[in-house]
Structure formats: structure tokens, C-alpha cells
């Protein structure tokens, strides 16, 4: 956060100061009072069950100097009618003050957003101080909170942007006007919310339409719906992927015994070998997206390749861990939809082991196609796993699709008991489901 007085914040967000308006905020804004930093801003929401204003004292004890909220608190407070709108106005103001020295990159897509964001953050960090979305905080609150972590020293700002309806990404892009817009794919995630892949494409294309003047769109050459987005901008377009016509092309992907990919990135005038410390062949495509965005930011291909080799991913995304039992856990429990589940199953199959077990929960928000999509995953899983465990009633069709190899279990407790009784040394187990299924609890019980 750039230093900004409470009076200035009030002016920016059309609020009223209660308390000392000369107090200066110098640290990031937070929603959780326990995460406040010295000099920080606590953003208080009055929810249905919890009122953040009641925690202003706690935020102050750990360092917050002010509050942005809808009523006065014990700390100096900017009082506004709409806290979310005020937070977004403040974020847009802060980034606007930094634009002379700041490059903003936005990343969206149906799957791979967080991994690509992490890869791109590694690339850009090699060239200058970089702020990037933490985890998957990619919504109407997470994006402005990330923006407010930028300060005068920040050279690159990487914003992951998600959407559940048309118009969401357009609004988020309007807050930051990205210089680089990365669109990864148009898949089936949130199909139940959008209704069609055409609608999903419209939503993802809003990031390209939101580019700052002179900005660059980075588009997936392998996805026709994404390539078509080049018509949404008059600016430069760079493509990535396996297609022969891609500007940044992935060649010669191989996997080691832990499913870590090595490959070559090729452009019209250069080539560089890359060895990723991540799991799954699909990460090579994500890396090519990050590489194209890095080129758009002025970084050389050789520097990009070196930086990609240092990437670490956000938690619960194909995390590999050896268990005390002698089995290997592949924890991909953060979220799931058909495309990402297929990629997780491919990674499971590529890891050396005696027996492969896929523990799969429900993939949410698939709409009318939900049962068919779950059954298709079960049918595919038997080509990648020796045993397919389907957890919860919503995942029952997975077990049906897996036939004799399918094991339907009622809930997470049943899955934990089954795994404790059946895992053996040398086994490799994948845990994958939508966030709402909470299969991270299963992974945690095994670790």
C-alpha cells in the first residue's frame, strides 16, 4: 500500500472520517482482523452472522491503524454506505498512482488460472518486485485486496480474475486496466452458472476488452474460442500452445518418474529448454502462457526459462507428499471440474508406483450435464487408476462410470477409513474434488 491518509481515503471513496483523519495507512488492507499488519487498514463487513466491525479492536491490537466500514469503530474509521464498492474505488486509486512504473497483468480461464498466475509471478519476479494474487483470491474482494498490496517499489502486478456471471471480469478489469491479458481456455467450469460455453467465452473475453491502450492479449492457440478473442482488441496479440502457428510453442514434452515435465519453448527467433518442478504435462501449456506474458513484459526467453524452473504453486494443487505408510499422496483438493480432473488423473498415471488410487469427489456447478460429466470422469479414470473411489452422493456417477473398479463411499469420514485400511507402501493416491466437497480434510487426515 502506498502511504495514504484517512482523509484522502475518505475523499477517494466518498466516505466520512470518524476519529483522527490525519492517520496514515502504510500497510495492506485485510478482511481478517487477525491478519492485520502494523500500519494496515482493516476492512469491516457487516455480515448475516458475523459483523467485522466488532473485531476492530483485535485488528488494532495486531497493528491496524484504521478501518474502512459502514459504521464507526474504536479505531479511526472511514464510514461508507457500500464497503465493497469503496474498497474497489480505493484499489483503483492506488494502482492509478503507480501506473507510470507499474505493469499490470490479468490472468483468466476456466482452468489453470492459479498455476499460471504462480508461474507468471515467478517469471516477472526475476525482472523486478512483483505482487501477485495469493492463492485463488480472484473475486470482487480478492482483486482489490491484491491491488492494495502494491507500493512504489512494485514493478509488476499479477491479478488472477475469476467470474461466475457475464460482466464480472469486465468490472474487475476496469479497476486495473491490465497491460497484459492472459486467457487460458474456455472450459466447463461453472457451466451451471453460465449456461453455455459461448457465455463462458464472452465472460473470459472481457479481460481482453479491458486492456489498457497499447496492451497485449496473450491467447491460447489451441483453443478456438480463445483464439477468436483476437477480434476483441486492436492491440498486439501473442499466442501460446502446442499448435504449429503459436507464437510461443511447446515442443517435446517428457515426464520424469514423478510426472514433472521437461520441454522446449520455441519462438520465431529463439528456443529454450525448461524443466518444471511441478507435476503434470498440462503445466507445460500453463508455462507457455506465462512465457508469452513474460515476453510481452520485455523479459528474454532464456531468463523466462530459468525463472519457470523456480516456480512454487499455491497450496493443494498437485502437491506431492510421501506418507508414513510408504504411500505417496497427490493432493489436488483445492478445486475441480472436468478438465482439471482429467489433468489430475493423467498426472496420477505418470507417477511411478505399484498401485494408483483416484479419490474423487463431486465437481460442482456443472448444471444439467453434471451426472453425465461425472460418469465420463469415472470411465476415464479406469484408464489411469487401479481403484476409483467416489466420495459423496454427488460423485456417485463417478463410481458408476468406473464399473468394477469403482468404490462408492458416503462421505469424507468413510473415505479416510477406507484409505487407512487399504493404502499400502508404493501406492499413489490422488485426491481431487471441488472446494465445496472439502476433500482437503481427507488429505490432511492421511498426511
Amino acid at each position: 500500500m502506498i502511504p495514504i491518509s484517512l482523509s484522502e481515503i475518505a475523499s477517494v471513496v466518498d466516505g466520512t472520517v470518524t476519529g483522527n483523519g490525519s492517520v496514515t495507512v502504510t500497510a495492506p488492507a485485510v478482511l481478517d482482523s487477525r491478519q492485520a499488519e502494523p500500519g494496515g487498514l482493516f476492512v469491516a463487513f457487516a455480515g448475516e452472522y458475523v459483523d467485522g466491525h466488532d473485531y476492530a479492536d483485535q485488528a488494532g491490537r495486531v497493528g491496524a491503524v484504521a478501518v474502512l466500514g459502514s459504521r464507526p469503530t474504536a479505531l479511526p474509521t472511514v464510514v461508507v454506505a457500500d464497503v465493497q464498492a469503496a474498497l474497489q474505488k480505493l484499489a483503483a486509486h492506488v494502482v492509478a498512482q503507480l501506473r507510470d512504473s507499474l505493469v499490470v497483468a490479468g490472468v483468466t480461464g476456466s482452468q489453470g488460472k492459479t498455476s499460471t498466475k504462480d508461474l507468471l509471478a515467478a517469471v516477472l519476479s526475476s525482472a523486478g518486485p512483483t505482487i501477485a494474487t495469493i492463492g485463488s483470491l480472484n473475486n470482487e474482494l480478492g482483486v482489490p485486496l491484491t491491488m492494495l498490496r502494491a507500493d512504489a517499489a512494485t514493478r509488476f502486478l499479477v491479478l488472477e480474475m475469476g467470474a461466475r456471471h457475464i460482466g464480472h471480469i469486465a468490472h474487475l478489469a476496469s479497476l486495473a486496466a491490465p497491460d497484459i491479458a492472459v486467457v487460458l481456455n474456455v472450459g466447463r467450469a461453472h457451466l451451471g452458472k453460465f449456461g453455455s460455453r459461448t457465455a463462458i467465452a464472452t465472460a473470459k473475453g472481457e479481460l481482453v476488452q479491458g486492456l489498457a491502450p497499447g496492451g497485449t492479449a496473450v491467447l491460447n492457440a489451441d483453443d478456438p474460442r480463445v483464439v477468436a478473442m483476437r477480434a476483441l482488441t486492436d492491440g498486439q496479440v501473442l499466442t501460446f500452445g502446442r499448435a504449429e502457428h503459436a507464437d510461443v510453442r511447446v515442443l517435446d514434452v517428457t515426464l520424469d518418474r514423478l510426472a514433472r515435465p521437461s520441454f522446449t519453448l520455441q519462438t520465431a527467433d529463439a528456443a529454450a529448454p525448461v524443466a518444471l518442478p511441478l507435476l503434470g504435462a498440462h503445466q507445460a501449456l500453463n508455462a507457455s502462457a506465462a512465457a508469452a506474458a513474460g515476453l510481452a513484459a520485455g523479459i528474454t526467453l532464456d531468463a523466462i526459462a530459468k525463472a519457470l524452473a523456480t516456480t512454487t504453486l499455491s497450496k493443494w494443487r498437485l502437491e506431492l507428499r510421501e506418507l508414513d505408510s510408504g504411500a505417496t499422496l497427490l493432493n489436488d483438493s483445492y478445486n475441480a471440474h472436468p478438465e482439471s480432473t482429467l489433468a489430475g488423473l493423467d498426472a496420477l498415471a505418470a507417477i511411478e508406483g505399484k498401485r494408483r488410487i483416484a479419490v474423487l469427489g463431486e465437481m460442482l456447478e456443472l448444471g444439467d450435464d453434471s451426472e453425465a460429466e461425472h460418469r465420463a470422469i469415472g470411465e476415464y479414470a479406469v484408464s489411469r487408476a487401479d481403484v476409483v473411489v467416489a466420495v459423496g452422493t454427488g460423485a456417485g456417477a463417478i463410481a458408476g462410470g468406473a464399473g468394477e473398479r469403482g468404490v462408492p463411499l458416503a462421505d469424507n469420514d468413510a473415505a479416510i477409513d477406507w484409505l487407512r485400511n487399504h493404502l499400502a507402501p508404493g501406492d499413489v493416491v490422488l485426491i481431487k474434488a471441488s472446494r465445496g466437497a472439502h476433500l482437503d480434510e481427507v488429505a490432511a487426515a492421511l498426511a
Side-chain angles (χ1 to χ4, degrees):
M1 174 85 87
I2 61 174
I4 184 169
S5 73
L6 218 55
S7 294
E8 185 180 355
I9 291 175
S11 177
V12 169
V13 303
D14 299 321
T16 303
V17 177
T18 62
N20 184 1
S22 66
V23 167
T24 298
V25 174
T26 58
V30 298
L31 303 181
D32 187 334
S33 60
R34 297 166 296 183
Q35 297 175 352
E37 300 178 21
L41 178 69
F42 175 50
V43 183
F45 284 87
E48 183 177 357
Y49 302 107
V50 177
D51 188 341
H53 299 82
D54 296 337
Y55 295 87
D57 279 341
Q58 179 176 330
R61 286 194 295 272
V62 295
V65 295
V67 173
L68 175 64
S70 55
R71 62 177 172 83
T73 72
L75 292 178
T77 304
V78 174
V79 179
V80 295
D82 186 332
V83 178
Q84 178 176 298
L87 176 66
Q88 294 175 353
K89 285 182 181 179
L90 179 59
H93 171 78
V94 166
V95 169
Q97 305 309 301
L98 300 172
R99 286 316 298 258
D100 288 346
S101 59
L102 183 68
V103 174
V104 179
V107 180
T108 195
S110 294
Q111 63 270 351
K113 291 187 294 295
T114 301
S115 295
T116 303
K117 174 264 303 180
D118 292 337
L119 287 156
L120 180 54
V123 168
L124 297 177
S125 293
S126 70
T130 299
I131 295 294
T133 301
I134 296 173
S136 293
L137 296 176
N138 59 25
N139 62 9
E140 64 276 4
L141 298 178
V143 169
L145 288 173
T146 303
M147 293 168 65
L148 288 172
R149 289 168 47 218
D151 59 24
T154 307
R155 183 175 174 190
F156 300 105
L157 177 62
V158 184
L159 301 172
E160 180 182 331
M161 296 186 184
R164 292 182 181 271
H165 298 286
I166 289 174
H168 282 181
I169 290 177
H171 179 63
L172 295 177
S174 74
L175 301 178
D179 303 289
I180 301 168
V182 182
V183 184
L184 298 171
N185 40 57
V186 174
R188 288 166 283 181
H190 310 307
L191 187 59
K193 291 283 187 182
F194 285 97
S196 70
R197 291 179 79 168
T198 298
I200 294 173
T202 297
K204 303 307 180 185
E206 291 170 356
L207 183 58
V208 176
Q209 292 173 304
L211 275 168
T216 301
V218 176
L219 305 178
N220 185 349
D222 301 337
D223 188 326
R225 290 183 175 89
V226 176
V227 172
M229 294 176 192
R230 69 166 62 242
L232 301 178
T233 179
D234 294 328
Q236 182 180 8
V237 174
L238 287 177
T239 59
F240 64 89
R242 296 182 178 86
E244 187 174 352
H245 61 272
D247 295 311
V248 180
R249 191 180 179 196
V250 177
L251 297 172
D252 305 325
V253 179
T254 60
L255 302 178
D256 68 8
R257 67 180 187 84
L258 296 178
R260 295 173 299 199
S262 295
F263 51 93
T264 297
L265 289 178
Q266 185 178 70
T267 66
D269 53 8
V274 179
L276 288 183
L278 315 179
L279 275 65
H282 64 288
Q283 296 292 6
L285 186 64
N286 293 336
S288 69
L295 291 172
I299 305 173
T300 67
L301 188 62
D302 283 342
I304 288 168
K306 292 177 182 177
L308 289 171
T310 70
T311 303
T312 57
L313 293 186
S314 301
K315 68 177 183 177
W316 303 342
R317 290 165 176 84
L318 288 175
E319 291 179 351
L320 194 68
R321 182 179 302 178
E322 297 295 327
L323 302 177
D324 291 342
S325 65
T328 299
L329 171 64
L330 187 57
N331 183 0
D332 199 26
S333 61
Y334 188 84
N335 213 342
H337 41 75
E339 288 85 0
S340 68
T341 303
L342 295 174
L345 288 165
D346 287 344
L348 171 67
I351 297 173
E352 289 185 4
K354 291 183 178 178
R355 185 175 59 153
R356 295 172 179 83
I357 301 171
V359 179
L360 306 176
E362 185 175 5
M363 302 175 293
L364 299 172
E365 298 182 2
L366 294 179
D368 294 340
D369 295 334
S370 181
E371 184 172 356
E373 293 287 5
H374 283 84
R375 179 170 292 277
I377 287 295
E379 293 170 353
Y380 185 81
V382 296
S383 70
R384 294 293 183 263
D386 301 291
V387 182
V388 181
V389 178
V391 184
T393 56
I398 293 177
E404 294 181 354
R405 296 192 204 173
V407 179
L409 297 175
D411 53 31
N412 289 356
D413 288 338
I416 292 168
D417 289 342
W418 189 93
L419 287 165
R420 285 175 172 167
N421 289 324
H422 289 83
L423 276 184
D427 287 347
V428 184
V429 56
L430 166 70
I431 296 181
K432 179 77 172 172
S434 282
R435 190 77 192 93
H438 302 291
L439 255 63
D440 56 288
E441 297 170 357
V442 177
L446 298 178

